[in-house]
Amino acid sequence: GPAAIERYVIRPVPEEFSRFASLVNGEVDIIANLTAERAGEVQANAALRVASVPSVRNMFVGLDTRRPPFDDLRVRQAMNHAVDKEALIEVILGGFAVENASVCTQTLFGAAPVEPFAYDPDRARALLAEAGYPDGFSVAMLGPVGRYAKDKELQEAIAGMLADVGVQITHVQPEWAEFLRLWREQLHEMLFVGTGNQVMDCDQHLGYRIHGPRYGRQYQSDEVDALIGQQMAEYDLDRRKAILAEIQQKVRDDAPWIFLFDNMDVYGM
């Protein structure tokens, strides 16, 4: 049916506290990107409330599988076992995220649940030693600051967890436009980033991150590429879902990312 609201105004307010203050002062009716810290203050105010919904964005750390050390599956598995996703979600994001080891956000058509990598630092150390890195290694991680909720804090926490198993991270954290330029130049072995989706279909995530050269492809699998081609040509929805599920499992098993979580969209109202 028709919306009950006859007119609305969208006002960009980039600074987080200014958005929050506008809500508290009654200058706006709803604000987006409410932080976990502010959510408690909103909930404590009888005139306000918090609303959260699963988003179409998932967050991950891409690993360049074309060159050492990430050309070794054991190293990529170790990176996944070294990062405590539940701690990132609860401590930094205030619970406003859902762990996800799929290449596709779970709100999308064709998304399939896959088993996450267990947080197991001892297993991570053993895998690194088995791969020839008993003392770990040093690597640069490119990630934007100010683009995603708590992006700087998340990158620092991930680096701390990796340091615990011997992997030393050098941060490269430019603003978004410079980040995109460096991303395309493919200068860094690790990439902290998120993927949105305008069409609500798992295929778009695959096109952005797995299939084709867009934004500097770090992972390539002939088998996965062939399956992506199959699902693009498949009109039967059930068969297409089955192919997409197979793709997501294969990508998870190849571990080209440190799989993190799906964001929640959090609003103050």
Side-chain angles (χ1 to χ4, degrees):
I5 298 170
E6 294 183 358
R7 178 177 180 269
Y8 69 94
V9 176
I10 298 175
R11 194 173 83 205
V13 184
E15 207 278 314
E16 180 271 328
F17 180 77
S18 296
R19 287 197 303 273
F20 173 72
S22 295
L23 180 71
V24 172
N25 294 332
E27 299 167 12
V28 299
D29 296 301
I30 181 170
I31 60 172
N33 296 331
L34 186 69
T35 65
E37 294 88 345
R38 298 296 180 198
E41 297 180 58
V42 170
Q43 289 169 327
N45 188 324
L48 306 176
R49 67 185 178 95
V50 175
S52 63
V53 294
S55 79
V56 296
R57 184 178 302 282
N58 70 344
M59 302 298 300
F60 64 94
V61 178
L63 308 173
D64 193 338
T65 64
R66 303 163 302 176
R67 51 182 171 171
F70 301 129
D71 57 344
D72 191 314
L73 174 60
R74 295 167 296 185
V75 174
R76 303 195 300 269
Q77 292 171 334
M79 301 291 279
N80 275 279
H81 285 302
V83 175
D84 187 346
K85 277 73 70 173
E86 290 186 7
L88 296 177
I89 292 168
E90 293 303 320
V91 176
I92 298 179
L93 296 178
F96 290 116
V98 180
E99 184 175 358
N100 182 19
S102 166
V103 67
C104 295
T105 313
Q106 292 300 295
T107 51
L108 306 178
F109 175 87
V114 295
E115 184 178 358
F117 286 88
Y119 174 54
D120 190 341
D122 290 335
R123 177 63 177 153
R125 295 185 193 97
L127 284 165
L128 288 173
E130 185 181 321
Y133 299 97
D135 299 319
F137 52 85
S138 297
V139 66
M141 180 165 69
L142 174 65
V145 172
R147 170 69 173 177
Y148 309 111
K150 297 293 183 178
D151 45 20
K152 189 174 190 293
E153 293 86 349
L154 287 166
Q155 292 172 67
E156 291 171 349
I158 290 168
M161 293 170 184
L162 292 173
D164 187 48
V165 302
V167 178
Q168 304 301 321
I169 300 297
T170 298
H171 291 290
V172 181
Q173 297 177 322
E175 52 81 31
W176 183 244
E178 177 66 6
F179 168 86
L180 289 176
R181 185 187 70 78
L182 294 172
W183 181 359
R184 293 187 177 102
E185 292 180 0
Q186 303 180 51
L187 301 175
H188 304 88
E189 300 95 328
M190 295 177 64
L191 179 77
F192 174 88
V193 74
T195 302
N197 195 299
Q198 294 91 340
V199 299
M200 298 297 292
D201 191 291
C202 187
D203 173 76
Q204 188 176 31
H205 269 39
L206 299 176
Y208 269 138
R209 301 289 180 254
I210 302 299
H211 188 247
R214 183 174 176 134
Y215 289 127
R217 186 173 179 177
Q218 294 182 304
Y219 163 73
Q220 195 274 326
S221 163
D222 291 341
E223 185 178 11
V224 170
D225 284 350
L227 288 168
I228 291 174
Q230 288 181 30
Q231 65 85 24
M232 291 174 71
E234 180 57 68
Y235 283 85
D236 182 276
L237 294 184
D238 290 334
R239 286 200 295 267
R240 185 163 175 262
K241 283 182 178 179
I243 298 169
L244 287 168
E246 185 178 0
I247 291 168
Q248 291 163 80
Q249 186 62 53
K250 287 184 179 298
V251 173
R252 182 270 184 201
D253 292 343
D254 280 347
W257 300 355
I258 300 174
F259 296 96
L260 297 177
F261 47 78
D262 294 348
N263 282 131
M264 301 285 286
D265 286 332
V266 187
Y267 303 90
M269 305 176 66

